[in-house]
């Protein structure tokens, strides 16, 4: 069994936010059975960052680091990955999972409201179109009636 350790892994890139990166990391962390794991979006002056705090067996942490490029979302653009020891407290993976779920749900609310409003607009337009079609059919019937 390899020794337990804590690490801070920082993913640097030009497009690593809003592409599902932390969700992919969460799934992989569950697969590796990490108990303590967190990942946060951050920024520096020139790039986007995803900062991971993880506690677990050294071999599994190394496997996570080696596979970040493999598990990254298709749209993500990663420039490099830095790793350093970490001595602070790391929340349980289950807490990170719940927090990420709530964050994703909060993002979706405004999108769902916008979709609902657009659907109402489309239904109004459909009703107008049906009314115009009925009017056109009525005029066609009148025209045909006049021709006989």
């Amino acid at each position: 069994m390899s020794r337990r350790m804590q690490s801070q892994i920082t993913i640097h890139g030009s497009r690593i936010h809003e592409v599902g990166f932390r969700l992919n990391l969460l799934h992989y962390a569950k697969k590796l059975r990490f108990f303590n794991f967190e990942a946060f979006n951050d920024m520096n002056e020139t790039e986007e960052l995803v900062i991971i705090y993880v506690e677990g067996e050294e071999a599994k942490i190394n496997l996570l680091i080696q596979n970040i490029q493999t598990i990254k979302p298709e749209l993500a653009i990663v420039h490099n990955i830095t790793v350093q020891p970490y001595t602070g407290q790391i929340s349980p993976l289950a807490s990170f999972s719940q927090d990420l779920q709530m964050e994703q749900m909060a993002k979706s609310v405004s999108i769902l409201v916008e979709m609902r409003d657009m659907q109402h607009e489309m239904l109004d337009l459909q009703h107008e179109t049906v009314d115009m079609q009925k009017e056109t059919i009525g005029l066609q019937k009148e025209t045909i009636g006049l021709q006989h």
Side-chain angles (χ1 to χ4, degrees), residues 53-67:
Y53 298 102
V54 60
E55 178 181 349
E57 295 174 18
E58 183 176 15
K60 287 184 180 181
I61 291 174
N62 289 333
L63 191 58
L64 170 65
I65 295 163
Q66 291 166 11
N67 285 299

Side-chain angles (χ1 to χ4, degrees), residues 83-143:
V83 182
Q84 61 190 45
Y86 182 73
T87 58
Q89 185 167 342
I90 302 172
S91 295
L93 184 136
S95 294
F96 168 66
S97 180
Q98 289 173 336
D99 291 346
L100 184 62
Q101 182 179 16
M102 291 302 296
E103 184 180 320
Q104 298 303 313
M105 287 173 55
K107 287 180 192 177
S108 68
V109 169
S110 62
I111 294 167
L112 293 170
V113 168
E114 185 179 339
M115 288 173 62
R116 182 201 59 205
D117 292 347
M118 290 174 67
Q119 185 177 25
H120 287 305
E121 290 174 24
M122 291 303 296
L123 287 172
D124 290 343
L125 288 171
Q126 282 180 324
H127 290 304
E128 287 178 31
T129 302
V130 168
D131 290 343
M132 291 171 68
Q133 287 173 336
K134 287 179 182 177
E135 185 179 324
T136 301
I137 290 169
L139 290 171
Q140 287 173 337
K141 286 181 180 179
E142 282 179 34
T143 303

Side-chain angles (χ1 to χ4, degrees), residues 11-50:
I11 304 168
H12 306 255
S14 55
R15 186 169 188 197
I16 57 176
H17 294 175
E18 307 301 328
V19 293
F21 214 132
R22 291 179 299 149
L23 186 59
N24 285 13
L25 290 168
L26 172 63
H27 289 299
Y28 197 63
K30 284 182 175 184
K31 181 178 177 181
L32 293 175
R33 304 195 54 81
F34 288 122
F35 182 73
N36 294 331
F37 181 93
E38 302 175 78
F40 301 94
N41 285 343
D42 202 357
M43 297 279 298
N44 67 18
E45 309 79 41
T46 60
E47 60 193 352
E48 296 178 352
L49 308 172
V50 173

